[in-house]
Amino acid sequence: MKNLLAYIIILLIFDNSFAQKSENELLKNYDLYVEENVEMGKWSTKYYLSNGLISVQENYWKNELRNRTEYKYDRFRNVECEINTYDINEGKVNNINQIKLGYKDSLLIGRIFSYGYEKYSDFTELRKPKLIEKKDEVLLKAYYKEQIEYDEKGNAIKSTEFIDYKDCPVSPKPENEKSITYYNYDSRNNIIKIYREYEPKQEFPIIIIGAPPLYKNEYFRYKYNKDGLWVKKYKTVNEKEYLITKRKYKKRMYNTIYSK
């Protein structure tokens, strides 16, 4: 059950609309980048870009295409449609996931997905929501409330999430949970430290299906190319550092892959 709960949390985490925009600005000069997930073995992902935004995502295992998804954006640069065009088990497909976006003037205040919804409120001066409410309507039917604190640059430095399982169909029902996550950043707004705590307390590392385990303390270090985009990401846990991700970028109008 713990694996499934952690997996649901990842599915419902708020996406790039409220992340730092600096990387999107830097990526406007690139056509694509490939991210190799060293930590998880032979997985890699190719991201095709359009004006700094991901237009197509392809997932590979040992250089074999496993999945391909196209993304469509509205005029505010928020994803409004996901189109799955290839699946390793089905071949070519055309599975469309339309996302209903809600605005107050030009401010995004909510999304409705096929599996649930997200609502945003209590915005900062930088238009970042300090309160996010989410509901999983498909599997555990859990309700999530997330309170976020930001620094002066708009980086999330503390996230407090409450999970309520009162409508969960599973018997016995899981215990309600509270998690607090703290973040620290480098000068380029990339995370260099994560600290986690849970109520009720959980034993670390927390094992997650299809993703790296979560540790109480995680530290990160990056190597950057000349444009300020990271090309190697290192993680330190239990005083041991190891490479977890590598990126290669293809710049617009150039044929060279940059991977310093």
Side-chain angles (χ1 to χ4, degrees), residues 48-73:
Y48 294 88
L49 303 170
S50 176
N51 197 27
L53 298 175
I54 296 170
S55 59
V56 177
Q57 175 178 326
E58 294 179 344
N59 299 313
Y60 292 84
W61 169 255
K62 294 182 178 180
N63 297 318
E64 179 185 35
L65 179 63
R66 311 288 294 199
N67 189 276
R68 185 180 189 273
T69 303
E70 298 178 4
Y71 298 93
K72 306 297 182 183
Y73 296 82

Side-chain angles (χ1 to χ4, degrees), residues 72-251:
K72 306 297 182 183
Y73 296 82
D74 69 3
R75 62 191 180 99
F76 298 111
R77 295 168 66 87
N78 291 310
V79 175
E80 63 178 358
C81 185
E82 300 176 354
I83 306 171
N84 183 217
T85 59
Y86 180 80
D87 182 88
I88 186 64
N89 297 315
E90 302 178 49
K92 291 183 179 181
V93 293
N94 187 38
N95 298 326
I96 299 174
N97 179 25
Q98 196 73 38
I99 303 169
K100 185 176 181 180
L101 305 176
Y103 289 93
K104 184 176 182 181
D105 297 324
S106 61
L107 189 64
L108 182 66
I109 60 172
R111 291 180 171 92
I112 298 178
F113 305 92
S114 59
Y115 57 81
Y117 66 81
E118 297 180 355
K119 295 192 299 183
Y120 319 116
S121 59
D122 194 14
F123 290 85
T124 68
E125 293 181 357
L126 295 176
R127 301 167 68 87
K128 302 290 184 75
K130 291 189 284 185
L131 177 62
I132 299 178
E133 298 171 90
K134 300 172 270 189
K135 182 67 181 294
D136 158 33
E137 299 280 14
V138 177
L139 295 178
L140 296 179
K141 298 187 180 298
Y143 169 76
Y144 304 77
K145 183 172 73 171
E146 184 176 9
Q147 297 172 329
I148 305 172
E149 298 178 17
Y150 301 89
D151 63 16
E152 67 280 357
K153 296 181 180 180
N155 295 308
I157 57 175
K158 180 181 178 182
S159 168
T160 304
E161 186 167 37
F162 304 88
I163 309 178
D164 189 330
Y165 297 105
K166 64 180 180 180
D167 297 326
C168 180
V170 176
S171 181
K173 291 184 180 181
E175 289 186 80
N176 291 345
E177 300 177 20
K178 175 184 177 181
S179 63
I180 303 177
T181 308
Y182 298 87
Y183 303 94
N184 293 91
Y185 298 81
D186 65 9
S187 60
R188 292 184 172 92
N189 299 316
N190 286 310
I191 294 172
I192 57 174
K193 180 181 178 181
I194 297 176
Y195 172 78
R196 301 180 174 94
E197 54 188 30
Y198 293 85
E199 294 180 13
K201 290 185 178 182
Q202 295 198 34
E203 182 179 348
F204 291 95
I206 298 173
I207 305 302
I208 300 176
I209 297 174
L214 301 180
Y215 291 85
K216 189 177 186 68
N217 288 285
E218 297 180 3
Y219 301 87
F220 302 92
R221 181 172 65 88
Y222 304 84
K223 287 188 176 180
Y224 294 91
N225 67 10
K226 63 181 181 179
D227 290 336
L229 289 163
W230 66 263
V231 294
K232 291 185 178 180
K233 182 177 181 179
Y234 299 84
K235 179 194 286 187
T236 297
V237 292
N238 299 329
E239 300 183 347
K240 293 182 179 180
E241 182 183 70
Y242 51 96
L243 177 66
I244 59 171
T245 314
K246 295 191 294 185
R247 281 184 178 183
K248 294 182 180 181
Y249 300 87
K250 183 178 180 181
K251 209 163 189 178

